[in-house]
Amino acid sequence: MKQLKSILLLMILIGCDLKYHSAYFPEAPVNLDKVNSEWDDMNSDLSLTPHHAELTFSSNRSLQNHDFNLCNYFLYYLWDRQEGILSFSAEKSQSQDLDYLVSKAHSDLNEKGPYSFMDSNENKALLFSRDVDGIYAIHVVTEKPINSMKSRELTYFRILDDTSNEMYPCFYVKIFTKGSVYGDGIPEKILFSSDKDGRFDIYEMDIPAGMTPLEFLADAAPKEVRKLSINTSSNDHMPFVLGDKLVFASDRPGGLGGYDLYYAKKTAEGWSTPVNFGHPINSDFDEYRPIISPSDRFQNNLMIFSSNRPGDKGGFDLYYVGVQK
């Protein structure tokens, strides 16, 4: 009995000595130097597992022709409750399914804007954009063939026309949580960006009931597409949605310089007026492709984006920062 009381007392003392129970991602951007190179590293995707995060991004670090290919890493982050310090580490991916999809996406052309997703048929997919004859189109590679097709890869598909760039697809609905360790959920809408009208705008499509997103994208039938109300006469580009929050990049007036990062919230009428993330997330230089990842263990969410601001390793680098849930 005395021994049990001693153990309980020790546990109480240890618990009392932990000063920083609440974990936070940093308020100022931090360079992901463990994965960045002297070349351009940008356009990332993040999926969570119980033990680590799987990061996929575009880089032109290739020693051959410096085209943009997809790279994948494992990210580990740990909150020290004693010191209140967040530590980040990274290593090359050892995920068989992710490595397989990234290898299938490799080509001598440019691959940008990866977006991974597990559909309701337990078929993991990697969407990305590839420049075909100088025009970007959305491609999909999957672990298993799509029900309506025999191939694991769509050559490519067009949504609006054959002369404009179509990039950065992402899914959303309020109960869909991209990258959650508990499963993504079932999306009902697709966002992407295109420069069909001479500048980049963000577009939206509804996924018909009874179809998975992959089946919908593979379907050759015409699709009903509409622009979001948040678009301006400037470039509004690279959308990503987590829950009811949309983040994107824009060079609209009123920013800090070049492309800035903005966010908007889903409303009954559409989307709220976009808000600039401000300094220090934005800078006088360009900030591209923001993505947000949920974390139950942290008081804020993790956002990863790329920037060519001074002080990086060279070109565009990936950065991480905490943003409000």
Side-chain angles (χ1 to χ4, degrees):
M1 186 67 178
K2 288 184 178 179
Q3 184 178 9
L4 178 58
K5 288 183 177 179
S6 298
I7 293 174
L8 290 174
L9 179 60
L10 179 61
M11 291 175 65
I12 292 172
L13 290 174
I14 291 174
C16 291
D17 202 32
L18 296 177
K19 302 176 182 178
Y20 302 94
H21 290 277
S22 297
Y24 291 89
F25 293 109
E27 294 181 356
V30 179
N31 189 294
L32 263 173
D33 56 357
K34 299 292 191 302
V35 303
N36 288 319
S37 69
E38 62 185 275
W39 299 93
D40 292 314
D41 304 296
M42 57 201 308
N43 297 323
S44 58
D45 173 78
L46 199 66
S47 294
L48 301 184
T49 76
H51 307 292
H52 60 268
E54 297 178 349
L55 175 71
T56 306
F57 60 95
S58 303
S59 177
N60 60 355
R61 63 182 67 183
S62 168
L63 296 178
Q64 296 178 347
N65 56 3
H66 293 298
D67 58 317
F68 279 93
N69 294 128
L70 301 182
C71 303
N72 46 312
Y73 279 76
F74 283 171
L75 288 186
Y76 304 91
Y77 41 89
L78 177 66
W79 177 259
D80 187 331
R81 291 191 294 170
Q82 174 65 35
E83 302 295 333
I85 297 174
L86 176 68
S87 60
F88 252 83
S89 61
E91 64 179 5
K92 286 290 291 181
S93 170
Q94 301 173 29
S95 169
Q96 291 184 351
D97 57 347
L98 185 59
D99 289 349
Y100 169 76
L101 294 176
V102 167
S103 67
K104 289 289 291 181
H106 183 82
S107 75
D108 292 332
L109 302 173
N110 293 300
E111 286 83 38
K112 292 184 177 181
Y115 187 89
S116 62
F117 165 70
M118 181 73 76
D119 78 0
S120 57
N121 295 322
E122 295 299 311
N123 188 12
K124 187 163 187 176
L126 181 65
L127 291 85
F128 58 94
S129 296
R130 176 184 290 154
D131 59 341
V132 179
D133 297 327
I135 302 295
Y136 279 95
I138 299 172
H139 292 239
V140 182
V141 291
T142 59
E143 287 185 304
K144 299 180 291 187
I146 302 172
N147 284 348
S148 57
M149 303 186 65
K150 294 181 180 179
S151 173
R152 287 185 173 87
E153 179 178 357
L154 302 174
T155 304
Y156 68 93
F157 60 90
R158 306 297 310 186
I159 300 173
L160 295 171
D161 58 36
D162 293 329
T163 61
S164 59
N165 293 294
E166 297 175 353
M167 307 180 71
Y168 301 101
C170 67
F171 306 140
Y172 84 94
V173 74
K174 192 165 186 179
I175 59 173
F176 173 80
T177 304
K178 167 72 174 78
S180 170
V181 296
Y182 307 109
D184 292 329
I186 301 176
E188 297 177 2
K189 299 179 185 294
I190 299 177
L191 295 183
F192 69 98
S193 54
S194 173
D195 60 354
K196 177 180 180 296
D197 293 333
R199 63 184 183 277
F200 276 101
D201 290 309
I202 300 174
Y203 292 82
E204 179 182 68
M205 298 183 293
D206 295 324
I207 302 171
M211 295 184 75
T212 70
L214 299 183
E215 291 168 344
F216 174 60
L217 292 172
D219 190 352
K223 297 172 173 59
E224 183 178 340
V225 183
R226 56 190 176 273
K227 286 185 180 182
L228 296 192
S229 60
I230 63 170
N231 289 312
T232 64
S233 58
S234 301
N235 290 288
D236 300 297
H237 199 14
M238 312 173 200
F240 186 92
V241 179
L242 179 68
D244 62 354
K245 178 180 283 188
L246 164 67
V247 291
F248 64 99
S250 178
D251 61 355
R252 61 182 61 192
L256 276 67
Y259 275 87
D260 275 10
L261 304 185
Y262 292 79
Y263 67 90
K265 288 293 192 75
K266 193 74 179 74
T267 67
E269 294 76 28
W271 297 94
S272 64
T273 301
V275 178
N276 188 302
F277 273 104
H279 179 80
I281 291 178
N282 290 314
S283 70
D284 295 340
F285 294 80
D286 289 316
E287 281 71 48
Y288 283 170
R289 181 56 188 273
I291 64 169
I292 303 179
S293 179
S295 180
D296 294 339
R297 296 175 296 167
F298 285 75
Q299 301 301 306
N300 51 2
N301 284 329
L302 173 67
M303 184 167 78
I304 296 179
F305 65 95
S306 56
S307 177
N308 61 351
R309 64 186 63 188
D312 56 17
K313 284 192 170 184
F316 278 86
D317 272 8
L318 295 170
Y319 289 81
Y320 68 90
V321 68
V323 295
Q324 187 176 3
K325 291 187 174 183

